[in-house]
Amino acid sequence: MEKWPLGVFASIDAGLGVRLEVAHELGIPTLHLHAPSAARRTAEAAAEFQKRLDDYDLTVTAVFGGFEGESYADISTVARTVGLVPPETRSARLAEMKEIADFAAKLSVPVVALHLGCIEENRDSTPYREIVNLTQDLCGHCAGNSQALHLETGQETSDGLLAFLGDVDRDNLFVNFDPANMILYGTGDPIPALQQVGAYVRSVHCKDGCWSNSPGVDWGQEVALGTGDVNFAEFLRTLNQIGYAGPLTIEREIPQQPERQRTEIGNAVKLLQGLRAELA
Ligand code: MG
């Protein structure tokens, strides 16, 4: 694969990403796929989907798990509802995440990824140990499929993330680095964070955002790539420094405005192509 192929976050059914047709029309060769609902994760559905991918010349480089009942309404709601951390839904979601990994395996996709949720910071606490154990369990399942697990960044600081990766201590555990999330959640300046966790970064989201007036308390705002507080020239220079050559996967989270989403992703493609020509 060429260095830094472009990618886009996409979905099969009612997910967060763009439709496959849009990726194809924009000439984007790779996808991060938002996992489809359970009914669309059968062997037959996977085979049918694989055919559409082949028709459009698209390669899925990672499948992202997401769950019923998650809400990104504000930071405290995220802490209560997102990922594998909330105790009420934990065991059911862990089982579902393993099913999602098995669906990815049917498509021969070697990476599954997710937001784990807001991990308790005290490393000596029981809630923290529980999430370490659960992540080891999920890594073991992925290893059985010859897959890596990528953790989406943003809900913790780079120090917290590094400590967690060390505590889980599995050789198929890596990071999907999303610079905008660091800004939206107010967890730190993305460029030094990327340098710090660089050795673990195996996929990235090219998403932009603006800091809120009260970082970590109120949401920042996700915006079109190139119009926010992520410096993409600096981001790509830093990816060069850490030796990252994988896909640049554009993410724009406005699925309720498909026309605008398509236009803005088209602009992001041009911007990233320009930077790539300069820096790759
Ligand atoms: Mg992301």
Side-chain angles (χ1 to χ4, degrees):
M1 206 184 258
E2 61 172 337
K3 182 176 176 178
W4 292 347
L6 291 180
V8 67
F9 203 94
S11 59
I12 304 178
D13 48 15
L16 288 171
V18 299
R19 293 175 301 113
L20 299 194
E21 291 77 4
V22 174
H24 176 68
E25 284 159 22
L26 293 172
I28 297 173
T30 77
L31 303 179
H32 280 181
L33 183 72
H34 189 250
S37 52
R40 307 287 300 268
R41 298 201 292 258
T42 62
E44 294 77 8
E48 202 178 291
F49 181 63
Q50 183 65 56
K51 188 174 176 314
R52 290 179 63 206
L53 291 171
D54 294 343
D55 288 347
Y56 287 141
D57 256 331
L58 291 165
T59 302
V60 177
T61 57
V63 173
F64 276 70
F67 308 100
E68 249 347 277
E70 290 185 320
S71 167
Y72 290 86
D74 53 48
I75 292 177
S76 63
T77 306
V78 168
R80 210 159 31 76
T81 67
V82 167
L84 302 180
V85 171
E88 318 76 54
T89 49
R90 186 178 297 166
S91 62
R93 285 182 177 178
L94 176 61
E96 183 166 12
M97 194 61 208
K98 290 177 180 176
E99 288 170 18
I100 288 170
D102 295 344
F103 167 76
K106 290 184 186 108
L107 296 170
S108 306
V109 176
V111 175
V112 291
L114 83 163
H115 270 301
L116 269 185
C118 297
I119 303 165
E120 158 67 39
E121 284 176 26
N122 178 358
R123 293 167 69 197
D124 297 321
S125 68
T126 302
Y128 181 86
R129 289 303 318 171
E130 285 174 355
I131 300 305
V132 168
N133 293 342
L134 165 151
T135 308
Q136 289 171 333
D137 179 349
L138 184 55
C139 283
H141 186 87
C142 292
N145 287 338
S146 303
Q147 289 166 326
L149 177 67
H150 291 193
L151 302 182
E152 173 94 354
T153 55
Q155 289 157 347
E156 56 287 305
T157 62
S158 47
D159 284 341
L161 181 60
L162 263 190
F164 183 75
L165 293 164
D167 288 336
V168 177
D169 192 23
R170 289 294 181 270
D171 60 11
N172 64 333
L173 181 64
F174 298 103
V175 163
N176 179 75
F177 194 92
D178 185 326
N181 282 349
M182 307 280 315
I183 291 171
L184 299 177
Y185 287 90
T187 45
D189 186 342
I191 302 298
L194 177 59
Q195 287 163 336
Q196 196 183 351
V197 302
Y200 287 97
V201 173
R202 295 292 174 90
S203 57
V204 301
H205 283 161
C206 291
K207 186 172 84 187
D208 211 344
C210 297
W211 292 95
S212 81
N213 291 326
S214 321
V217 179
D218 296 327
W219 270 129
Q221 198 193 352
E222 195 226 340
V223 297
L225 195 150
T227 67
D229 291 329
V230 176
N231 180 333
F232 276 90
E234 203 54 40
F235 183 60
L236 265 60
R237 269 195 286 275
T238 309
L239 290 177
N240 252 343
Q241 279 168 18
I242 66 168
Y244 178 82
L248 303 177
T249 306
I250 298 162
E251 186 178 28
R252 182 67 174 115
E253 297 174 344
I254 46 168
Q256 66 285 6
Q257 296 169 263
E259 282 311 310
R260 183 173 158 211
Q261 187 185 40
R262 188 186 190 291
T263 304
E264 292 185 0
I265 289 171
N267 293 339
V269 165
K270 288 187 202 114
L271 191 147
L272 291 173
Q273 280 172 334
L275 288 172
R276 187 175 63 177
E278 262 173 60
L279 298 169

